[in-house]
Structure formats: C-alpha cells, structure tokens
Amino acid sequence: MENIILKIINLNAYYGNQKVLKNVDLEIYENRVTTILGPSGCGKTTLIRCINRLHELSPGARIEGQILLKGEDLYQIEPMIVRQKIGMVFQKPNPFPTMTIYDNVIAGYILSGIKLSKEEKDKIVEESLIKSGLWDEVKENLFKKGTFLSGGQQQRLCIARALAMKPEILLLDEPTSALDPVATSVIEELIIELKKSVTTVLVTHNIGQAGRVSDYTAFFYLGELVEFGKTTEMFTVPKSKKTEEYLIGKIG
Amino acid sequence: MNEKTINRRIFNNKLYKIFVSSFSFLSIIPLFLIIYFVLIRGIKYINLKFIFSMPKPMGELGGGIFNAIVGSFIIVGVAALIAIPIGIMVGIFLSEYKEKKFTEIVKIFVDTLQGIPSIVIGIIAYLWIVKPLKQFSALSGSIALSFIMLPLVIKSTEEVLNLVPVDIKEAAYALGAPYHRIVLKILLPSGSVGILTGTLIGISRILGETAPLLFTAFGNQFLNLNLLKPMSTIPYLIYVYATSPYKDWHNQAFAASTILIIIVLSINLLGRFIEKKWKT
C-alpha cells in the first residue's frame, strides 16, 4: 500500500486568461519517483511550479483548486515555508555565481538567515554532497566558486543545495535537458538512489528517462492529465489512445 | 551577381570602415589636446609644497591648494554617502517592479533629473538649504552634488540588476528565501562590480562640477572641516583663480586643473580595471 504525501485536487492554473492546467487530480506517493511526462507546452512545468508556489511569482499567474501536503493545504501556508519543505532543481544548472561550493550547499540556510554552528554547517555540506554524489569530486575544492564545475556537477550541486534543506519532496524540472549523456546517466542513477530518503517529482519529456527512473508516471497533454499509473504498466499497456500515440512517437 | 556589383560592394565596405574608424580617431583628439595643454602648463607648478600648503593671501606669490583638495574629497565623499544608498535602493526598485505604473513615473523623473543643468541644481540647493540656514555650507554643496550623482547610481544599479539571470533569482525563491535576503545576498553581490563601477563614474563626474558649488559650498581660503561652514573645492578654486587678474593664480589654476584631471582619470581607470578584473 502506497502512502500519499501530496494530493492535488481539481487544480486549474492560469497565466492571465490562458488556462494552462485543466482540472488536474493527482496523488504523489511517499518515497517514490513520479514522472510528469508530456510534450512541450502541456503544463508539466507549471504543475510543479504550483506545488512549490513559484507559479504565483509570474505576473498574471493564479490557480484554483487545492494542493495538500500530508493533508495540509499548501495555499494556506506562507510560501517561504512551502518552498523550504518542497525543494526544486531547475532545467539549467543555476548555482549562485557569487558563492563557493560550500556556501551554495547551505545557501538555503544563508538566505533564510538561519544561524548554524561550524560543525552543523560542515555536517550538512558533507551529507548533502555525499547524497548528491558530488562529495568525492569536490571535497578538496569546497571553497572554490560553484561555477567552475562542469554542467553535470553544477546540477548535482543544485540537487545538494535542495537536499540540504531536508525537503519532504524534491521537484526536478527536466534536470538533465541541458546535460550530456554521461552526466545524464549519473543524475538518473542519483534519482533512483535518492528514493530512500525523499519523494521525487520528475518533469521530463524524455520517455526513456521516465521508464528508467520512475515508479509512477502521469501523462499530460494540453494541460490535462490523460493517464496516471505505474510506469511499467503504462509503458507496456497504456490505457489511453493519446498515451500510446505519445509513447510510440506519433505525437509530441 | 556580376563582378561589377561585387567590386562596388567591396569598395563600399572599405569606404564605410574608413569613415567609422577615422571618426573614432577624431573623437579622441579633443581629450588628448585637453590633457596635453593642461599638463604642459600645469605640471611644472605641481610639487609636494603645492599640494600640502595653504593658499597665500591675495597678491602674495606661491602657496598651495591643500584646503581645496581636502574640501573636494569631503564634499564629494558626503555627496557619495547620500547618493549611493538612495541610488542603489531606487535602482533595486526599478529593476524589481517593472510592471508598476509608479516605476514608469520614477524612471521619467530619474531621466529628467539627469538632464537638469547642474547650475539649476545649485540654485535649488541654495534656496532649500543655504537660505534657511543663512550660511553657505559644505553640506549644501554635497547635497547639490548628490542630486547630480543620484541618477548615475540609479541607472547603473538598475542595469546590472537587470542582467542577473531570472533562474538565479528563482533558485533563491525555491529555497524559501525571504525577498529582502535575496536582494541582499544574491542580487547585490551579483551586481556589485557594476554598481561599484557606476559609483566610481558618478564620483569622477561630480569631482569636476563647479556650477552647483558656486552658491552652496562657496569656497574658503582656510582649511575647514566643518560641514556647516563654507569649504573650498578644486573646481571652485580653479574658477576663482582662472578669472582673477593675477598671473601667478592663472598658473596655479592650471596646476590645480592638472591635479583634478589626474584624480578623475585615475578613478575612471580604476573603474575600468575593476570591471575587467572581477566581471564574471
């Protein structure tokens, strides 16, 4: 039996008059990887930006409906707190250019003004970098700028930065779309590894990636949730015609 | 395309290049001439004594401009202290709240302020500060100069903050950071080099301003460190000495001009250097 950590109820999202998500109902299970799959412009990114309330920062953006984190309505909580509970990694690696690797990892604490002792900081940095698989590569250079790393390493640094806040959910917005195949496979292995400690929602348009890393897949098309189910089942016997067409490359 | 058209195009390209580069060359000639003439007439009077001694009473030969150098640094320093924090805050506002109507209004006012003749700003400072206090003062000069510097700081802050990528800001938001810490810890450090360069350019600009000081800081024969009293400055001293009938004062005016040019040029070069060195 799966444990529901996040429940999306009848969610509609708008940019101005344009409706980008239509009546979405979705459940995300704890310590599982759920892929949000679909072609460009289907509202995948908007969906996860609603989950950590980044959506509302765009001018003219608004939502209707409910998102419950362990039964608690996210839109009744202060957005800053929501974003500490739900971490996010973006398409393009975006470490803070003015900060060292060390500071980048604890950036969430620095930016929130949370005071930590030297030992606590060291511990968080080491743990987060180990979790993101970057520790061995950077432990000698912790006080160099994060922008000196390669693209794949920068992206893992961003994952470490998100993990350092000990989030309950990690949102990954096409985290490998700007990376080469080798760096991509490292990150995919990492996503599978992270399942033990964190619930992951992965946005991708890459069917192969969804198949390799995710337990559940939600297929979106033109702002609507077409199909949701176990990845293995959906990829072998899709229930919807649309899903099938996308999986065999007819649409997308 | 036949050979004739191609040849004509090649010729036109060359002609265009010649035009563009020769006008660029022409545009640097005035600066060289200015520096050359001022240096040649001023540099021989510059020595440590000139820099570190006080002016002699009218009619006596010799003397220095120590009070004016100190005065310039104090007045410009205070002006910078006023203009930099306000300018940075306004710059942040303009780059962060682009959609607001009020932003448009502020922008128009900043642009207009930049175009207001400096002597008018001097008159305003005179009416607002000198008249009510019934006293010429260094502070009123600083305030007048800060109005001139303010648009430069605002513009450079706004421009560099606009260059900070949106994804960096979103990354900070996504970590649950409060807005004021994002500005302080992410935006300002990312833009610090540009803001610093803009500030230095603003400082070198107001170092040479004379008009707003004529009826604010006024001038002082003696060394004065009191902001509420009249204070001498290098440009004001140049103005007074150059319009006097004394040959010795004319020479001193050229020497003071040389010093002013050297200071302004070094600040500009420092700005260039910082920009090159630290821009990432």
Side-chain angles (χ1 to χ4, degrees):
Chain A
M1 187 55 204
E2 302 283 9
N3 227 342
I4 299 168
I5 184 165
L6 191 86
K7 201 173 162 94
I8 298 167
I9 305 163
N10 200 15
L11 183 75
N12 291 292
Y14 303 82
Y15 287 107
N17 291 325
Q18 198 194 349
K19 195 169 181 177
V20 279
L21 283 178
K22 296 163 196 158
N23 308 318
V24 175
D25 286 288
L26 184 64
E27 287 169 353
I28 304 289
Y29 302 122
E30 197 163 10
N31 287 8
R32 296 286 176 272
V33 179
T34 305
T35 296
I36 313 291
L37 185 71
S40 312
C42 69
K44 314 183 287 280
T45 298
T46 306
L47 177 71
I48 64 164
R49 288 171 68 95
C50 288
I51 297 176
N52 71 345
R53 296 192 62 177
L54 270 189
H55 175 65
E56 64 202 71
L57 293 179
S58 314
R62 66 195 167 86
I63 74 147
E64 289 160 1
Q66 269 190 320
I67 301 178
L68 307 178
L69 176 67
K70 291 183 172 167
E72 203 180 356
D73 189 346
L74 284 181
Y75 280 76
Q76 303 298 329
I77 312 174
E78 185 55 41
M80 284 184 271
I81 296 172
V82 172
R83 293 176 197 141
Q84 285 179 356
K85 290 183 177 186
I86 302 176
M88 183 163 180
V89 175
F90 295 79
Q91 268 188 40
K92 249 176 65 195
N94 53 4
F96 297 122
T98 52
M99 291 186 184
T100 60
I101 294 173
Y102 188 94
D103 281 349
N104 257 295
V105 177
I106 50 166
Y109 296 93
I110 296 175
L111 289 173
S112 307
I114 301 169
K115 293 267 179 294
L116 295 172
S117 70
K118 180 83 176 61
E119 292 79 49
E120 284 173 305
K121 281 190 209 166
D122 287 347
K123 193 164 159 259
I124 292 171
V125 169
E126 187 174 345
E127 275 177 8
S128 312
L129 286 173
I130 287 173
K131 269 191 202 160
S132 71
L134 197 58
W135 176 250
D136 288 329
E137 290 158 62
V138 301
K139 63 183 172 198
E140 310 292 331
N141 297 316
L142 287 177
F143 295 98
K144 275 197 181 160
K145 290 269 165 70
T147 38
F148 284 119
L149 299 171
S150 75
Q153 288 174 322
Q154 286 189 20
Q155 196 61 300
R156 280 182 284 148
L157 177 58
C158 294
I159 294 176
R161 179 175 70 188
L163 291 174
M165 297 305 284
K166 306 195 171 63
E168 301 186 31
I169 298 178
L170 184 63
L171 307 171
L172 305 172
D173 184 6
E174 306 199 28
T176 60
S177 64
L179 303 181
D180 63 74
V182 177
T184 299
S185 73
V186 173
I187 298 222
E188 285 180 0
E189 279 165 32
L190 175 62
I191 295 170
I192 298 168
E193 183 64 31
L194 284 176
K195 248 186 350 191
K196 292 175 208 150
S197 51
V198 68
T199 309
T200 303
V201 179
L202 170 72
V203 164
T204 185
H205 56 243
N206 181 335
I207 299 160
Q209 185 168 66
R212 284 190 294 274
V213 305
S214 69
D215 307 295
Y216 290 88
T217 294
F219 175 65
F220 278 77
Y221 191 70
L222 300 176
E224 282 176 78
L225 175 63
V226 177
E227 190 173 342
F228 175 75
K230 281 211 160 103
T231 305
T232 44
E233 283 170 20
M234 189 192 291
F235 278 29
T236 42
V237 215
K239 286 187 215 108
S240 149
K241 190 99 181 78
K242 272 269 165 328
T243 318
E244 191 182 328
E245 281 175 352
Y246 184 72
L247 290 174
I248 60 174
K250 259 191 176 170
I251 54 171
Chain B
M1 220 187 309
N2 62 35
E3 205 177 327
K4 214 174 134 200
T5 16
I6 292 178
N7 281 337
R8 207 180 63 228
R9 285 183 175 197
I10 292 172
F11 175 75
N12 281 347
N13 277 349
K14 279 193 179 141
L15 194 68
Y16 185 78
K17 263 189 201 159
I18 290 169
F19 259 105
V20 175
S21 38
S22 48
F23 278 109
S24 313
F25 181 70
L26 280 178
S27 73
I28 61 172
I29 290 179
L31 178 65
F32 270 110
L33 288 179
I34 291 168
I35 294 176
Y36 175 74
F37 276 112
V38 172
L39 278 184
I40 220 154
R41 297 199 53 178
I43 202 124
K44 52 182 180 253
Y45 302 101
I46 297 178
N47 48 42
L48 284 179
K49 211 175 138 227
F50 180 71
I51 294 173
F52 288 108
S53 60
M54 300 293 298
K56 286 268 163 64
M58 206 176 275
E60 271 183 56
L61 290 180
I65 59 162
F66 186 59
N67 59 336
I69 295 176
V70 172
S72 263
F73 277 106
I74 292 177
I75 288 181
V76 169
V78 173
L81 283 183
I82 300 170
I84 292 169
I86 300 178
I88 289 177
M89 280 190 273
V90 177
I92 292 171
F93 175 79
L94 291 185
S95 97
E96 284 293 296
Y97 298 96
K98 290 197 187 66
E99 278 81 28
K100 292 210 163 136
K101 253 239 139 65
F102 184 54
T103 310
E104 280 305 307
I105 298 171
V106 173
K107 268 192 181 160
I108 293 168
F109 272 77
V110 172
D111 286 340
T112 316
L113 183 61
Q114 199 162 17
I116 288 180
S118 56
I119 191 145
V120 176
I121 291 177
I123 294 171
I124 299 298
Y126 174 77
L127 290 175
W128 281 2
I129 305 156
V130 177
K131 266 190 108 178
L133 293 178
K134 299 194 178 64
Q135 167 101 320
F136 290 115
S137 64
L139 185 65
S140 59
S142 293
I143 291 172
L145 291 183
S146 72
F147 280 127
I148 296 167
M149 188 174 168
L150 195 58
L152 296 166
V153 180
I154 294 174
K155 287 270 161 187
S156 61
T157 306
E158 186 201 350
E159 276 164 24
V160 291
L161 291 187
N162 282 343
L163 292 179
V164 177
V166 182
D167 52 338
I168 297 288
K169 240 162 75 184
E170 284 195 332
Y173 272 115
L175 287 167
Y179 175 65
H180 71 276
R181 309 268 313 180
I182 296 178
V183 171
L184 226 58
K185 297 270 171 183
I186 302 293
L187 295 184
L188 287 183
S190 307
S192 58
V193 172
I195 295 173
L196 190 62
T197 323
T199 307
L200 286 175
I201 287 170
I203 287 176
S204 69
R205 159 84 204 276
I206 60 172
L207 257 172
E209 279 292 340
T210 322
L213 299 174
L214 291 177
F215 20 76
T216 52
F218 192 65
N220 195 332
Q221 272 181 288
F222 307 103
L223 181 65
N224 165 38
L225 301 177
N226 185 344
L227 281 178
L228 297 173
K229 291 268 157 57
M231 203 182 269
S232 190
T233 55
I234 306 175
Y236 181 81
L237 178 133
I238 295 169
Y239 167 75
V240 172
Y241 279 19
T243 51
S244 78
Y246 311 112
K247 184 86 186 91
D248 184 46
W249 274 17
H250 293 171
N251 293 336
Q252 289 196 21
F254 271 109
S257 304
T258 309
I259 289 176
L260 188 61
I261 284 182
I262 290 171
I263 297 173
V264 168
L265 275 183
S266 344
I267 291 177
N268 271 323
L269 290 178
L270 178 71
R272 278 287 159 120
F273 175 76
I274 289 174
E275 199 167 21
K276 275 235 170 83
K277 180 105 201 218
W278 285 320
K279 196 138 222 174
T280 39

